[in-house]
Amino acid sequence: MKLFAPLAVAAALSAAAPAHSAIVLIDDFSGYGSSTVLNAPDSVFGGRWFTTDGTVDYLAAGDSWSNLCLGASGSCVDLDGSTGNAGVFSSFLLGPGTYNVLFQLTGNLRGGTDELTIAFGSVVRTVTLAWNEVVNQNSFGLDFFGITVGAEGTRLSFSTAGGDNIGPLLKSVVIETAPAPVPVPAAGGLLLGALGLLGFARRRKAA
């Protein structure tokens, strides 16, 4: 009994510890070639991203127009392609689970405003971006954290109501699994029970 109670305490503390998140998708758009591709086909993005209902432009680091990317460096995606028909830019299909979604975008950096819609699972948010505005997941409070996705799965998508070849610029995306919260009363109950066992063991020893 002298060894059992400390082990029970350790087990209770372990049960109360939060689970860790895992990265499902991470992309700064730097791995898709060294040349800008206007009206980029899906093949440019290696099966990670797909464009429907229009086109997007891939702006490669160090090439023409890449100075528009956030920080005037790296690569990014212009969400209003050069056809004048803005596309819906979507990730590969993600399975059921609970997710956090992180991203970085800017306005078009060329003037005016753009209407941008970001969708993931049941969360759909639309914002009007000034040309020089920076947006990330925190711009929407906690809306893009702890999103539960059912068996049908979902995609992360970005779409703009542009049509002038000048759209918001997507710089980076991270999607991670969100750890399931541990019910506090249950974890507390385990800990109290373990502490009770420890007290019982000490009383046995004293006796």
Side-chain angles (χ1 to χ4, degrees):
M1 181 64 74
K2 186 160 56 176
L3 292 176
F4 177 79
L7 287 174
V9 172
L13 290 174
S14 175
H20 294 288
S21 59
I23 300 296
V24 177
L25 184 155
I26 182 168
D27 208 337
D28 64 358
F29 301 101
S30 63
Y32 301 118
S34 58
S35 299
T36 289
V37 182
L38 303 181
N39 308 319
D42 292 345
S43 58
V44 166
F45 300 104
R48 292 164 67 88
W49 297 93
F50 305 88
T51 307
T52 55
D53 297 329
T55 58
V56 301
D57 295 335
Y58 169 62
L59 309 183
D63 205 349
S64 56
W65 302 109
S66 66
N67 62 305
L68 293 173
C69 300
L70 185 63
S73 64
S75 304
C76 61
V77 176
D78 185 338
L79 294 170
D80 191 349
S82 295
T83 60
N85 181 21
V88 178
F89 191 59
S90 302
S91 70
F92 60 84
L93 185 67
L94 289 97
T98 303
Y99 298 94
N100 298 326
V101 179
L102 300 90
F103 48 84
Q104 285 184 310
L105 292 133
T106 63
N108 64 62
L109 298 184
R110 286 155 283 185
T113 61
D114 290 284
E115 185 177 280
L116 173 73
T117 298
I118 306 166
F120 186 84
S122 61
V123 177
V124 180
R125 298 292 179 266
T126 299
V127 62
T128 299
L129 277 178
W131 68 274
N132 60 348
E133 188 174 356
V134 178
V135 171
N136 61 33
Q137 68 287 338
N138 295 322
S139 304
F140 302 89
L142 297 177
D143 292 1
F144 285 95
F145 294 89
I147 303 171
T148 300
V149 174
E152 72 281 1
T154 194
R155 301 176 189 270
L156 173 63
S157 69
F158 301 88
S159 58
T160 178
D164 53 5
N165 305 337
I166 299 174
L169 301 156
L170 179 60
K171 177 64 175 177
S172 64
V173 172
V174 175
I175 302 175
E176 63 180 11
T177 58
V182 176
V184 174
L190 278 172
L191 182 57
L192 289 173
L195 291 173
L197 286 171
L198 180 58
F200 177 72
R202 285 177 176 169
R203 288 193 299 273
R204 284 283 303 272
K205 183 179 180 181

